[in-house]
Amino acid sequence: LETRDTTDMFVIHHTGNPQDDDLSARQINASHQAQGWTCIGYHFVVHKNGIIERGRPLDAVGAHCWHHNATSIGINLVGNFEQAEPTTVQLDSAMRLIAELSHRYKLKPGAGTVFGHRDFNSTLCPGKNLYAKLSGLCASASRL
């Protein structure tokens, strides 16, 4: 794994699997390795019950957003948010994680630092139901 020298954004994802399963970081890691990746591409996995799991080491370059991995942290909320809604506790945990990471990297959570995967690549990720909540997550995170 390469070390990330700069962190200037957070990219939000969803697992997007049709069954809307609550996949563990271990399961995502196995899936990514089966595709030939070194390990899980995301730095964090946020579960429906609000628990946050670490994925790829925080200082490592991610494998989650083509052309933006070298300067971003990947945060995956588990679920298919084209079909379902993220849970309230899941959103709260994601918001607190964004606030903590923003503080750590001296960033202001908002339109210039928190993006959906679809903002950069041709994908529906993080799903319409999560994507619509990103500005609210940023507003709440900036108040912490």
Side-chain angles (χ1 to χ4, degrees):
L1 296 174
E2 295 179 41
T3 301
R4 190 180 61 258
D5 296 324
T6 302
T7 302
D8 60 9
M9 71 176 93
F10 312 115
V11 181
I12 309 301
H13 302 267
H14 74 153
T15 47
N17 54 322
Q19 297 78 23
D20 190 39
D21 294 338
D22 197 355
L23 301 172
S24 69
R26 176 179 276 182
Q27 290 170 300
I28 296 169
N29 183 60
S31 171
H32 287 182
Q33 286 181 321
Q35 296 174 57
W37 300 1
T38 302
C39 64
I40 186 171
Y42 312 111
H43 296 90
F44 295 95
V45 176
V46 183
H47 291 276
K48 293 178 182 194
N49 64 3
I51 291 175
I52 299 171
E53 278 189 285
R54 291 291 297 267
R56 191 170 278 227
L58 187 57
D59 65 344
V61 172
H64 58 90
C65 187
W66 185 252
H67 293 301
H68 298 282
N69 290 315
T71 64
S72 66
I73 291 176
I75 301 171
N76 183 294
L77 279 70
V78 185
N80 183 337
F81 303 123
E82 275 298 304
Q83 301 172 0
E85 291 285 338
T87 68
T88 302
V89 293
Q90 189 175 34
L91 290 170
D92 186 62
S93 289
M95 179 271 298
R96 292 176 185 283
L97 177 60
I98 291 167
E100 170 61 30
L101 293 170
S102 294
H103 178 73
R104 176 181 282 195
Y105 292 101
K106 298 178 178 32
L107 300 171
K108 181 172 175 20
T113 57
V114 180
F115 298 92
H117 186 192
R118 68 172 57 182
D119 291 323
F120 299 114
N121 302 135
S122 180
T123 178
L124 295 175
C125 183
K128 63 185 176 194
N129 296 323
L130 176 54
Y131 190 77
K133 296 178 182 347
L134 291 184
S135 64
L137 282 178
C138 292
S140 295
S142 68
R143 291 192 288 270
L144 292 184

